[in-house]
Every structure is written in C-alpha cells, then in structure tokens.
Amino acid sequence: IQMTQSPSLLSASVGDRVTLSCKAGQNINNYLAWYQQKLGEAPKLLIYNANSLQTGIPSRFSGSGSGTDYTLTISSLQPEDVATYFCQQYNSWNTFGAGTKLELK
Amino acid sequence: EVQLVESGGGLVQPGRSLKLSCAASGFTFSDYNMAWVRQAPKKGLEWVATISYDGSSTYYRDSVKGRFTISRDNAKSTLYLQMDSLRSEDTATYYCARRTVFDYWGQGVMVTVSS
C-alpha cells in the first residue's frame, strides 16, 4: 500500500499549529502510526491506531483521520519538535511514507 | 527500561554475508513479535522482516526474500538478521524494533555494501 505524505518540507514558527498529512493508496482501517525522527536518532512512536497517543508523548501531538486520509497535528510547535515525521500503515504488511521534514521558520 | 542494542554491522563486499544481532532487555522478549527496519542514507524508513513472538512465523519484504533470514533466541533475548548475497542497495542503517507498531527501536547499526 502506497503512503503519500505532504508536504515534504514544512517551515513553521514556535507556537504555530502544525498539520501534517498522510494519504494511503487504499483504506487502511485506521491502522496508521506516526513516528518522529530527530537528526542522528532512531524513530520514536508518537501515535498508533490513527489517534491513540503513545505513553510519554506530549499532549500537543494528536492524530486523526479515517479510511485513506490521516493527519498529525501539533497544537503549539516547540523548538524540540524539529524533526522528520513518518507515517506507517500496518493494515497490510508495513509501508512508510517518505516523510515530512519540519523546520523552524 | 526497554533497551534494544544492535551489533554486527560494517563494510562488506557485494555478494558476501553479514549477521546482525539485537540484544533486548527490560521486557519479556518472548512475549513480543520483533522486526528489522532499515533506512538508506538520507532516505526514508523501509520495513525488512518480522518474526512472531515464538519464532514460528516469519515475514519479509519482497526485495530480501530468499537472501535474508530473521531468527530469534528467546533464551538469550536476542534477535538476528542473517543477510546473504548482499547488494549495494542493501546499504542502510538497520534498526531492530519491537512489535508491529514499532514502539521501541534500537540505536541502529550501519551496513555498507561496497567493493
């Protein structure tokens, strides 16, 4: 299943509400996860089952969506959120999106 | 604290073999499916293989089927990836990860396939 993320690069200011999109090539039944990867580090799970927040992740992160269209929202961007964000579908095997690089404006 | 520590990476010539290991601690290893995920330099994430909690089932992406073998030793809490007939396109950082939704990751180990 192809996963398409947009935009590929996003510039935002501290305090902004940020929205990242992920579109699946077919219905993935909410089997969608979001990961954050900071430079030089392993990915970190943020959201699973489309909208469930992983333990220990700040509440400014949230996930939504259904069917083929999903969104990761950061309610108030912090400097430490600078990273690349990947979505992953696990409805049928595993595929990742190409990522959205989030930088500070 | 959950820890996953990979080892065994390095520089290898095309067509040769390499075996990666992932030592797990901080959780009951035998309760969880485990996986390998790779990331080519400056590229995205790519799932490689998954093994069930008891080792009875294994799954691979098409590009590594017949060349890579995932296995585990639950007595040693260790996950393995045997990589044979390596190609330049296998060059990547290889991560071991817990579960199907990858809730914990190792720090990664670099594999470079080059002559």
Side-chain angles (χ1 to χ4, degrees), chain A:
Chain A
I1 299 176
Q2 179 115 357
M3 304 299 291
T4 303
Q5 289 188 243
S6 61
S8 55
L9 176 64
L10 180 60
S11 297
S13 300
V14 173
D16 282 354
R17 182 180 182 87
V18 171
T19 299
L20 286 64
S21 294
C22 179
K23 186 175 181 67
Q26 63 189 68
N27 182 4
I28 56 171
N29 299 301
N30 286 12
Y31 290 115
L32 190 283
W34 289 96
Y35 298 87
Q36 175 194 66
Q37 187 177 33
K38 297 183 179 180
L39 198 61
E41 297 184 6
K44 178 193 293 185
L45 176 65
L46 302 175
I47 301 285
Y48 61 96
N49 291 349
N51 57 21
S52 295
L53 190 68
Q54 173 70 351
T55 302
I57 301 302
S59 58
R60 64 179 180 273
F61 291 91
S62 64
S64 63
S66 63
T68 61
D69 295 309
Y70 298 87
T71 298
L72 174 70
T73 300
I74 307 173
S75 60
S76 177
L77 185 66
Q78 300 302 303
E80 60 266 32
D81 299 337
V82 168
T84 300
Y85 292 82
F86 295 95
C87 62
Q88 174 215 7
Q89 70 80 22
Y90 46 98
N91 181 69
S92 175
W93 301 107
N94 286 281
T95 43
F96 291 89
T100 292
K101 186 175 182 180
L102 178 59
E103 64 179 25
L104 286 180
K105 193 179 290 184

Side-chain angles (χ1 to χ4, degrees), chain A residues 33 35 37 39-45 47-49 54 86 88 90 93-99, chain B residues 37 39 42-47 50 59-61 65 95 99-108:
Chain A
Y35 298 87
Q37 187 177 33
L39 198 61
E41 297 184 6
K44 178 193 293 185
L45 176 65
I47 301 285
Y48 61 96
N49 291 349
Q54 173 70 351
F86 295 95
Q88 174 215 7
Y90 46 98
W93 301 107
N94 286 281
T95 43
F96 291 89
Chain B
V37 179
Q39 186 171 34
K42 307 289 188 187
K43 299 291 187 182
L45 300 166
E46 186 174 80
W47 167 76
T50 292
Y59 311 91
Y60 301 91
R61 68 177 303 105
K65 272 182 195 172
Y95 296 99
R99 297 181 59 208
T100 300
V101 176
F102 307 124
D103 60 352
Y104 287 94
W105 299 62
Q107 85 286 356

Side-chain angles (χ1 to χ4, degrees), chain B residues 4-6 21-23 34-37 79 94-98 104-108:
Chain B
L4 299 170
V5 179
E6 302 95 339
S21 299
C22 171
M34 297 293 296
W36 289 96
V37 179
L79 176 72
Y94 284 73
Y95 296 99
C96 66
R98 193 179 80 163
Y104 287 94
W105 299 62
Q107 85 286 356

